[in-house]
Amino acid sequence: MNVAKNMEFVFIAAVVVATSLANAFAAPAAPLELAATSAFVKAPAPEAPAITIVVVGKRLTAAQKAKRTV
């Protein structure tokens, strides 16, 4: 087997093995304990009126529809 021809496969295999070993020996993260309370109080959002969009246009006649589909 010519290693130079398969260098991409060797590299990918080495990355997979290294990642697997790193995950196998990694300790779980310690839970974060927050002792202080938050001083930030979120203000209520102001009520905004609903946005209405009106589309106005004329319907095409049968002749115009036929002309467009050709």
Side-chain angles (χ1 to χ4, degrees), residues 28-50:
L32 179 63
E33 294 182 19
L34 297 176
T37 60
S38 176
F40 177 74
V41 178
K42 186 174 181 180
E47 291 291 326

Side-chain angles (χ1 to χ4, degrees):
M1 177 169 129
N2 190 355
V3 177
K5 280 185 170 182
N6 299 315
M7 193 54 88
E8 181 180 4
F9 174 75
V10 171
F11 175 75
I12 298 297
V15 168
V16 169
V17 169
T19 304
S20 300
L21 287 175
N23 287 333
F25 290 112
L32 179 63
E33 294 182 19
L34 297 176
T37 60
S38 176
F40 177 74
V41 178
K42 186 174 181 180
E47 291 291 326
I51 298 173
T52 305
I53 299 173
V54 179
V55 179
V56 179
K58 296 188 325 182
R59 292 189 178 265
L60 296 176
T61 62
Q64 290 171 330
K65 287 181 186 177
K67 185 177 179 183
R68 291 182 70 122
T69 58
V70 174

